[in-house]
Amino acid sequence: MKRTEMTHLATEEVGETDAPAQRPAEPAQDKGHLSPSRSEPWLSRRWVVALAEGVVSLVAALGFTLLSTYISVNPLVRIGQVSGLAKLQMYAAVLGLPLLAILLFTAYRGTLRHHQLVKRLVCAALAGLATGVVAGGVVVALRGTPWGLGGQEGDPGVLIAMANSFLHGEGPSGIYPPLFPGLMAVWAKLRYDGAGGTGFALKDFQIFFTAIAGPMAYMAWRLLLRPFWALLIAVPSAILFMDPIRPYSHASMLVLLPLLGYTLREIRRSGDRPLRATLLRGAVLGLVFGVVFLWYSGWYVWAAPGVFLLALCVFPWRAGKAVVKRTAAFVGVTLVTAGVVGAPLIYQMARLGSQNPDRYAFLAVYVDPAYVLGWVSDRSGKLDYQTWPAAGEMAGQSGFALLLLFAAGLGVGLGLRNIMVLTAAATLAGAWLARFWFASHMAHDNAVQLFPRTTWIIMYCLMILAVLGMMAVVDRGSGWAERTLRPSGAAPAARVVPRRVVAQLATGMVCAVALFATMGASWSVNRYMPQSDDMTMGIDAWRAHTIKKADGSCPRFAPDKKNCADIITQDWKQNPDNGEMWCGGIHPQDWKAVCGRRAPASEVQREEQEQEQEEREKAKK
């Protein structure tokens, strides 16, 4: 097996990726390795330990989320919010510190064989705890209300209407991926007696799928990487990109990239496998891709150009007729299965795609399109395109940007034979070109076409390349040390850098990732704490506290218990397209300068009403 390919869920008996490589002439070292003869029989099975990782990660995520339901604070008061955030961190420390202590103990005192197993399980648990904290924060923010983030407005309102349409026997809603609202409808019918409970079902799904995003991302990366490196990609990306309002969207992006890399690796290898095994792998992968497509399809658009060209390059055209046939069979089965599963949405796209232009502009549309290392939503507070993003020290680029680009350069320079490096680089290039294609046509077509969302997948690719660059440096550096620094005449089993030292260093890095996870998760959660200002992200939780419960009463912490909104049970309907761009987050008098059109009368009236309200509040004070 080539080290540049990286093993998937294999045990560490083939050598840690964060440890020096064993020379081909060296005998295998018994100490610190799993073997059927010296380990329990069930531990010698690869799928058992892999299953244990998945179970541990899910239990950690969902268990922490359940524990968060016992945090008793008023989420609409800032002091209550701070206390809730602190309680989340205390729970994370109580659960996480013993795990890290066990990992440190086995690194210094236990056998390497036991340490490898512990590291796998601890990394899996930390991935679950990271997004469990985020989901727990949503639980705290929505305490006392059955409604999810966003209430019945914006995108959550659209999802609720789509779920109502499913409950009333209608088909997919336009070209929107139908699986998530369809599941909402099923859950609302099973638990909340139908259409009036779809908003309650949305809350359950927001919390649940936010919690399992970390385990999903970690296990997807474990198809290609060892535990530490999988954790190093999964945790920062899950915390940074996850949006609890629409948890299905970014979760699909997190798993799509490693799945694409795994599939391209299988294209390289399928010619060496029996035809039956090749067809089975293709069918399973096709099923997964089809489900992810129905879950959220947008990332396929941005990844398709680069990955398609890369697939043509890695296809073994010159490997012989038999190999070409088996590989073609694998690709064909994968595509056909994915197409069959995703057929409902593919049909809707072919039928209605041209009728659904995206004309919604907001702050991310107005800024320099070459900026891809930060994101703001359409509730950006007091920021505008003149104050955000803040210019960095080097041609507008910050120190973080330069470090990230440098690490990504290491990945391309030292790991280009790695199939995941190729996948991330190809996806980045395709999304980059697509971004500027749509942005350059925006003024002429009066359509945004979601091009700002390429920010996420481009930054994700840069993070992947950066981590793989660090991994390549470790692999190359350890291999160089073993070749050049080993004393002449040393025993074959002797190592310049002992495995124990490598295990201890890797353990320290896991502790650092765990600390980042708690800090980053708290940052993510804090953004969603309820605020009445509709230009902040906290407005989504605030709205959830202003709608009546199923029994007609107001939520426990409603700001006005006499004027809560009624439950809306309307079905989804496509809004008519007037051919003009909507200039979100811009004062009506500035619409002409920013979007080239006058603000509609409704927007002018809304602005006047808000100004009158502010004047009345000032007069009262």
Side-chain angles (χ1 to χ4, degrees):
M1 183 200 69
K2 296 181 180 179
R3 289 186 58 80
T4 54
E5 288 281 340
M6 299 176 292
T7 57
H8 46 25
L9 287 172
T11 56
E12 275 68 8
E13 59 191 354
V14 291
E16 287 277 12
T17 55
D18 52 335
Q22 180 176 307
R23 289 185 174 183
E26 289 181 2
Q29 298 184 34
D30 291 331
K31 185 177 180 180
H33 293 276
L34 294 167
S35 62
S37 59
R38 298 190 58 185
S39 305
E40 296 86 348
W42 61 275
L43 283 179
S44 65
R45 300 176 184 270
R46 179 185 302 174
W47 67 269
V48 172
V49 185
L51 179 62
E53 283 186 80
V55 171
V56 166
S57 193
L58 287 173
V59 169
L62 297 177
F64 189 94
T65 304
L66 180 62
L67 184 62
S68 302
T69 61
Y70 293 95
I71 298 178
S72 178
V73 295
N74 182 345
L76 270 72
V77 177
R78 183 55 187 171
I79 293 299
Q81 296 170 8
V82 173
S83 294
L85 292 171
K87 197 73 170 182
L88 290 170
Q89 292 299 305
M90 189 186 75
Y91 286 165
V94 169
L95 296 175
L97 288 176
L99 296 176
L100 297 178
I102 295 172
L103 184 64
L104 286 166
F105 177 83
T106 57
Y108 279 85
R109 292 285 183 253
T111 64
L112 292 179
R113 177 173 62 88
H114 289 152
H115 172 71
Q116 290 166 2
L117 177 60
V118 168
K119 183 170 70 173
R120 294 180 69 165
L121 299 180
V122 168
C123 286
L126 292 178
L129 285 175
T131 48
V133 173
V134 179
V138 177
V139 171
V140 173
L142 299 178
R143 183 172 180 267
T145 176
W147 291 89
L149 294 172
Q152 301 178 114
E153 300 185 44
D155 288 348
V158 173
L159 290 171
I160 291 171
M162 288 181 176
N164 289 336
S165 295
F166 275 106
L167 285 172
H168 296 151
E170 298 183 12
S173 303
I175 62 172
Y176 201 84
L179 190 52
F180 187 82
L183 287 178
M184 278 178 56
V186 173
W187 185 245
K189 186 173 183 178
L190 291 175
R191 185 172 182 186
Y192 298 111
D193 298 326
T198 49
F200 309 154
L202 178 59
K203 175 186 176 180
D204 295 343
F205 279 18
Q206 286 174 341
I207 294 170
F208 177 79
F209 288 109
T210 296
I212 68 172
M216 287 173 59
Y218 175 78
M219 294 307 296
W221 280 108
R222 284 291 285 123
L223 293 170
L224 293 162
L225 301 176
R226 298 292 180 154
F228 170 72
W229 301 110
L231 184 73
L232 192 56
I233 295 179
V235 166
S237 59
I239 290 176
L240 179 61
F241 297 124
M242 278 307 298
D243 184 0
I245 299 176
R246 296 170 297 273
Y248 55 93
S249 170
H250 292 81
S252 63
M253 182 188 75
L254 294 175
V255 302
L256 179 62
L257 268 293
L259 285 174
L260 289 173
Y262 181 81
T263 303
L264 291 170
R265 190 184 68 177
E266 289 300 306
I267 289 178
R268 283 181 169 179
R269 296 178 174 182
S270 57
D272 300 326
R273 290 195 174 97
L275 181 60
R276 183 177 179 181
T278 296
L279 296 179
L280 179 60
R281 286 173 179 265
V284 172
L285 281 171
L287 175 62
V288 173
F289 279 122
V291 171
V292 174
F293 181 74
L294 294 178
W295 198 240
Y296 192 79
S297 56
W299 310 116
Y300 286 80
V301 176
W302 312 119
V307 172
F308 175 74
L309 292 177
L310 179 59
L312 293 178
C313 293
V314 302
F315 193 91
W317 301 101
R318 301 180 180 179
K321 189 174 181 180
V323 172
V324 169
K325 283 185 176 181
R326 282 195 294 269
T327 306
F330 168 77
V331 174
V333 169
T334 303
L335 293 176
V336 170
T337 306
V340 170
V341 175
L345 183 55
I346 295 174
Y347 171 75
Q348 290 289 89
M349 288 180 169
R351 187 170 67 93
L352 302 172
S354 61
Q355 302 177 19
N356 291 269
D358 170 36
R359 304 193 190 278
Y360 181 63
F362 58 104
L363 180 56
V365 176
Y366 313 138
V367 301
D368 176 10
Y371 181 72
V372 294
L373 296 181
W375 173 264
V376 289
S377 70
D378 55 353
R379 294 175 298 280
S380 52
K382 299 184 183 301
L383 296 175
D384 58 37
Y385 63 91
Q386 295 174 329
T387 60
W388 186 88
E393 305 84 355
M394 182 68 176
Q397 308 308 308
S398 66
F400 164 74
L402 296 177
L403 288 174
L404 183 67
L405 294 175
F406 174 75
L410 292 177
V412 174
L414 299 178
L416 199 57
R417 293 182 179 180
N418 184 316
I419 192 62
M420 196 58 233
V421 171
L422 291 171
T423 303
T427 302
L428 190 155
W432 187 268
L433 291 174
R435 176 186 182 88
F436 291 108
W437 167 264
F438 288 114
S440 64
H441 287 73
M442 178 172 56
H444 182 270
D445 298 338
N446 277 327
V448 178
Q449 299 305 91
L450 302 177
F451 87 82
R453 297 196 179 194
T454 56
T455 299
W456 287 312
I457 197 167
I458 289 173
M459 190 173 182
Y460 189 31
C461 290
L462 288 173
M463 293 170 64
I464 293 169
L465 291 173
V467 171
L468 296 181
M470 290 186 284
M471 190 178 74
V473 168
V474 171
D475 284 345
R476 294 277 188 103
S478 60
W480 175 86
E482 291 298 321
R483 291 191 303 270
T484 61
L485 301 182
R486 175 178 292 181
S488 59
R495 300 179 65 87
V496 174
V497 182
R499 292 187 181 276
R500 177 71 64 179
V501 174
V502 174
Q504 293 167 356
L505 178 60
T507 298
M509 295 297 101
V510 171
C511 293
V513 174
L515 182 59
F516 167 82
T518 59
M519 297 166 64
S522 187
W523 162 83
S524 179
V525 167
N526 186 49
R527 298 177 299 165
Y528 296 98
M529 288 299 166
Q531 297 183 52
S532 59
D533 185 352
D534 62 3
M535 288 304 293
T536 65
M537 297 178 70
I539 189 62
D540 291 305
W542 180 276
R543 288 169 176 166
H545 290 273
T546 63
I547 310 171
K548 293 178 180 178
K549 299 189 293 185
D551 60 5
S553 63
C554 288
R556 177 180 177 184
F557 301 107
D560 186 353
K561 292 187 178 297
K562 296 182 180 180
N563 294 303
C564 292
D566 294 327
I567 299 176
I568 300 174
T569 57
Q570 66 185 17
D571 292 351
W572 178 85
K573 295 186 183 302
Q574 178 66 48
N575 293 325
D577 178 29
N578 61 6
E580 295 182 321
M581 189 178 295
W582 181 267
C583 206
I586 297 297
H587 193 279
Q589 68 183 18
D590 296 327
W591 274 53
K592 188 71 174 177
V594 176
C595 287
R597 58 165 296 202
R598 292 183 181 276
S602 60
E603 188 67 10
V604 175
Q605 184 179 7
R606 186 187 68 84
E607 185 67 25
E608 291 175 350
Q609 291 174 349
E610 290 181 355
Q611 290 179 355
E612 292 175 358
Q613 180 66 24
E614 290 179 1
E615 292 175 358
R616 285 195 296 268
E617 292 179 355
K618 289 181 180 179
K620 290 180 180 179
K621 292 181 180 180

